[in-house]
Amino acid sequence: MITVIIPVYNASQTIQHALQSINSTKPIEILCVDDGSTDNSIEVIRAFEQEMPRHYTLTVIQQDNQGAASARNNGLRHAQYKYVMFLDSDDQLTDTALQCYFEAIEGHPECSVYIGQMMHYKDGKAIRIVTQQLQAGKTTLSEQPELLQSIGPGAKVYRKCDIGLFDEDIIFCEEHTLNTQVMMKAVYVFDTPVYLYTIEAGQSITTNTQQFTKYMSDGMKVRQRVLAIIKASNLSEGSKQRIIQYYSYRMDELIIMYYVKRKLMATPLMQEEKAQLFEYMTQMVTTEYRVSTLMHMLYHFKYYGHMNEELNEWMAVHHIQWSNFEYTKFKLKTKVKDQLKQLR
């Protein structure tokens, strides 16, 4: 039996689709944690409750607005079943998702987390995420650092007794510590689509300076925490280094660099924002990081941010050099990619 935890905040336009996507012939507990909504989300949930299958139970938990991490943790504290999963109120499960999880649990009851395939959902169409290429079967983070491709809470079922809590003091990447810890235990991966992650048309980054500095500050906090978890583990030094190198790629390049790049493409960085960016990179080079990821970040920030003087000064302080030839190649490739995107 599985508990489905859904954080809800002003989700009246989407929560019905999320609830209706829960499809199971076995008992299911649904916990909707209302995080201080001001719309009619609860009324929509109550209407679904009147029509849901009799083998489902549904509970609405209300709290003051404290964020998604707090809502998920509140759901965990109230969950009655041995296994839990998280579903965002604007996402959906596939028709066979819960059946796949029940089969995985029955076949591999010793595992702590079960990971299925996430797909993007845009304009009513499910799109496979080609960059997520995990090897199916029983595994661990030390055997397959690429599990960090799936570091978010979606597309997973957890054995409740084996997981901790989400970090409530941050709002960016608050799931990283929980998933890093649980993936060091027994993991089962299957290559079946189970989760539809909604991408709204016209979705764009918020360029508010206060949010940017908060995200960068949170990024530094969670990066330190994850590295500390990996280093404190009982894994071999070789395994630790492989995981750290992949986490640097996942966090520093695929999350932070992508976030900053989109911000730079929207508006120049303010001085306070630049300071946060350089503080983040300083944390990288004074701890552990993936060298190719740092160079990729520097190329992007120079190309999109026009921060030649600041970057050169920072690189000189930290004794970092790059190849002008490699940067020229990067510029040409990036220019072509951006032009192709504009034509689509």
Side-chain angles (χ1 to χ4, degrees), residues 51-68:
E51 301 177 356
M52 70 183 186
R54 296 183 66 179
H55 57 283
Y56 292 8
T57 62
L58 188 151
T59 303
V60 175
I61 303 166
Q62 292 184 275
Q63 64 177 44
D64 294 336
N65 181 242
Q66 299 173 62

Side-chain angles (χ1 to χ4, degrees), residues 23 70 80 100 134 148 158 175 214 219 242 273 334 344:
N23 179 34
S70 172
Q80 297 298 308
C100 290
L134 302 180
L148 293 172
Y158 303 88
E175 67 277 1
K214 171 62 175 168
R242 285 194 299 275
E273 295 170 331
T334 303
R344 291 172 184 167

